[in-house]
Amino acid sequence: MGMDFCRQDPECDYYFSLDADVGITNPETLRILIEENKKVIAPMVSRHGKLWSNFWGALNTDGYYARSEDYIDIVQAKRVGVWNVPYITEVYLIKGETLRTELKNKNMFTLNGGDPDMIFCKNVRDKGVFMHISNRDEFGRLISTDKYSTTHLHNDMWQIFENPVDWKEKYIHENYSKIFDEDYFEQPCPDVYWFPLFTEKMCDELVEEMENFGDWSGGKHEDVRLAGGYENVPTVDIHMNQINFEKEWLHFLREYIAPVTEKLFPGYYTKAHAVMNFVVRYRPDEQPFLRPHHDSSTFTINIALNNKGIDFQGGGCRFLRYDCKIESPRKGWSFMHPGRLTHYHEGLPVTKGTRYIMVSFVDP
């Protein structure tokens, strides 16, 4: 193992151990830890919104976890510093010289079949070597892997509940917060708003999930997926519940669409509930356009999932009441517009390639 390689190499200055369920976000982590000049030191990381971390502040008489009086304050950074602790795990730095002297035993993790991390820390303590945890800086976080599913093409998409910070960093557009801070949105047509929402990765992975699933509707009026079995304005589409993503999608609507709605349509407080959530595919030889219609929603979001001029030609949306066209949607940006009464609209013909959009009829 790596620790033993460091012991055998006199030029190995440090051994850094990092488990798969740790996300280091601070590129200066190693420099910061080295500058602390400790024999064994760990950067403090915890699960988002929880007290679960990579250290114990105290042990009981059996050598297991015991709550120390300052544990919560350290995890929540109410007390900041470098702390001598009896147990560290997941991520830590050890001086190479320490491994070649005080901790030169190769069997640091084995003792009567117990937990390897507990055994390692006991052996370190028994050698009189102090272990430290630092919360002086923000280093990253623990990733929750207990409920991580591997049954999808892009499994991270389903992590909006378990790892919401990582999900947001990966899938929400970098300028999303500017909607609220800097009024970073446009109004290309009356009461039609346009704002950044998804990263390119989210757009690509959602399209790939749908194509991997592959069971596109035929764009016919008869639709067994619907309660009445009939769709008045059919599209070639796949619903979120078909890929078992509806629960995650509804949470996304509450977390990211509801605040935008309240910003753009003040006085309306959405329930962020939607029955119809689906990805639509437009092709010249399949379904190139959509006839004029109203949506069965209080408001609709329509997210562009690929690029005009690169992936397809043509396309767009026209609002008939205002004779207003939006012909160059931006990948990852969403429209938001009223669904009934005023915003009668149509999908303009795609003349080349394949266009994908994600649609939700919110508050039906």
Side-chain angles (χ1 to χ4, degrees):
M1 62 189 314
M3 188 178 288
D4 204 41
F5 282 126
C6 188
R7 285 192 187 96
Q8 296 172 24
D9 183 356
E11 296 185 358
C12 175
D13 296 320
Y14 294 92
Y15 169 75
F16 186 59
S17 178
L18 178 68
D19 285 4
D21 50 359
V22 177
I24 294 294
T25 58
N26 187 340
E28 299 297 316
T29 295
L30 279 176
R31 180 188 61 78
I32 293 168
L33 296 180
I34 289 171
E35 288 179 353
E36 293 292 354
N37 195 29
K38 303 296 184 184
K39 293 180 178 180
V40 182
I41 187 169
M44 201 284 291
V45 290
S46 63
R47 288 187 183 175
H48 173 71
K50 301 184 183 297
L51 295 175
W52 186 289
S53 76
N54 65 322
F55 79 97
W56 295 349
L59 304 175
N60 62 21
T61 55
D62 295 322
Y64 287 88
Y65 171 82
R67 175 67 60 84
S68 60
E69 64 179 35
D70 55 359
Y71 177 83
I72 294 177
D73 287 345
I74 294 173
V75 173
Q76 295 181 340
K78 294 177 181 178
R79 298 186 67 186
V80 177
V82 177
W83 314 90
N84 180 13
V85 295
Y87 175 88
I88 56 175
T89 185
E90 312 282 3
V91 53
Y92 48 84
L93 182 76
I94 306 176
K95 283 188 174 182
E97 184 61 27
T98 301
L99 288 175
R100 290 186 288 271
T101 53
E102 293 107 315
L103 305 180
K104 60 184 178 181
N105 184 355
K106 295 181 180 180
N107 300 317
M108 293 291 294
F109 292 90
T110 57
L111 179 67
N112 300 326
D115 176 78
D117 290 330
M118 291 180 63
I119 294 168
F120 169 73
C121 291
K122 182 181 185 304
N123 285 328
V124 174
R125 294 193 306 270
D126 288 348
K127 293 295 183 180
V129 176
F130 289 153
M131 292 173 284
H132 296 86
I133 193 90
S134 172
N135 69 342
R136 285 180 172 170
D137 297 87
E138 181 71 33
F139 295 105
R141 54 191 164 268
L142 289 176
I143 299 169
S144 177
T145 57
D146 297 342
K147 298 180 181 179
Y148 192 88
S149 171
T150 58
T151 60
H152 312 287
L153 182 64
H154 297 292
N155 300 295
D156 285 356
M157 279 176 50
W158 276 257
Q159 289 296 299
I160 190 170
F161 292 108
E162 297 301 313
N163 295 291
V165 176
D166 300 271
W167 195 93
K168 181 179 180 180
E169 287 184 354
K170 186 172 183 178
Y171 294 127
I172 296 300
H173 197 287
E174 62 180 357
N175 291 327
Y176 172 81
S177 63
K178 291 183 179 180
I179 299 169
F180 312 97
D181 301 335
E182 304 175 19
D183 289 342
Y184 193 77
F185 56 85
E186 299 175 20
Q187 189 176 185
C189 297
D191 283 331
V192 178
Y193 293 95
W194 202 7
F195 54 91
L197 186 58
F198 281 160
T199 61
E200 294 241 349
K201 184 170 287 292
M202 179 61 178
C203 295
D204 294 343
E205 292 189 4
L206 183 54
V207 168
E208 289 167 8
E209 281 288 344
M210 292 305 185
E211 289 292 0
N212 183 61
F213 179 74
D215 190 13
W216 294 92
S217 69
K220 299 178 180 179
H221 291 289
E222 296 75 22
D223 194 336
V224 297
R225 300 171 300 176
L226 305 181
Y230 183 84
E231 172 57 68
N232 187 43
V233 188
T235 53
V236 175
D237 58 49
I238 295 175
H239 290 193
M240 286 301 200
N241 59 14
Q242 291 179 265
I243 64 168
N244 297 315
F245 195 66
E246 188 168 62
K247 180 176 67 173
E248 289 78 8
W249 185 258
L250 293 178
H251 184 71
F252 159 77
L253 293 180
R254 291 190 293 270
E255 290 292 311
Y256 295 101
I257 296 301
V260 178
T261 307
E262 294 172 14
K263 168 75 175 178
L264 301 179
F265 294 97
Y268 179 72
Y269 300 98
T270 177
K271 298 177 183 177
H273 177 66
V275 177
M276 297 289 286
N277 307 287
F278 52 98
V279 170
V280 181
R281 184 174 73 184
Y282 289 111
R283 287 175 172 170
D285 59 350
E286 189 174 60
Q287 182 183 15
F289 65 91
L290 192 60
R291 68 174 177 82
H293 63 283
H294 285 296
D295 294 337
S296 56
S297 66
T298 301
F299 69 91
T300 296
I301 61 168
N302 178 329
I303 310 166
L305 298 180
N306 59 347
N307 289 303
K308 182 172 182 175
I310 298 175
D311 304 306
F312 64 93
Q313 299 290 344
C317 183
R318 183 169 80 97
F319 293 90
L320 279 69
R321 180 184 180 93
Y322 310 104
D323 192 23
C324 184
K325 296 180 182 179
I326 306 171
E327 298 181 287
S328 298
R330 301 167 191 159
K331 183 177 180 180
W333 282 54
S334 177
F335 294 125
M336 178 182 290
H337 62 80
R340 295 188 179 90
L341 191 61
T342 56
H343 283 64
Y344 193 56
H345 59 285
E346 64 180 336
L348 301 175
V350 170
T351 58
K352 183 180 180 180
T354 303
R355 179 190 180 204
Y356 297 95
I357 59 173
M358 174 64 216
V359 177
S360 278
F361 295 163
V362 188
D363 294 347

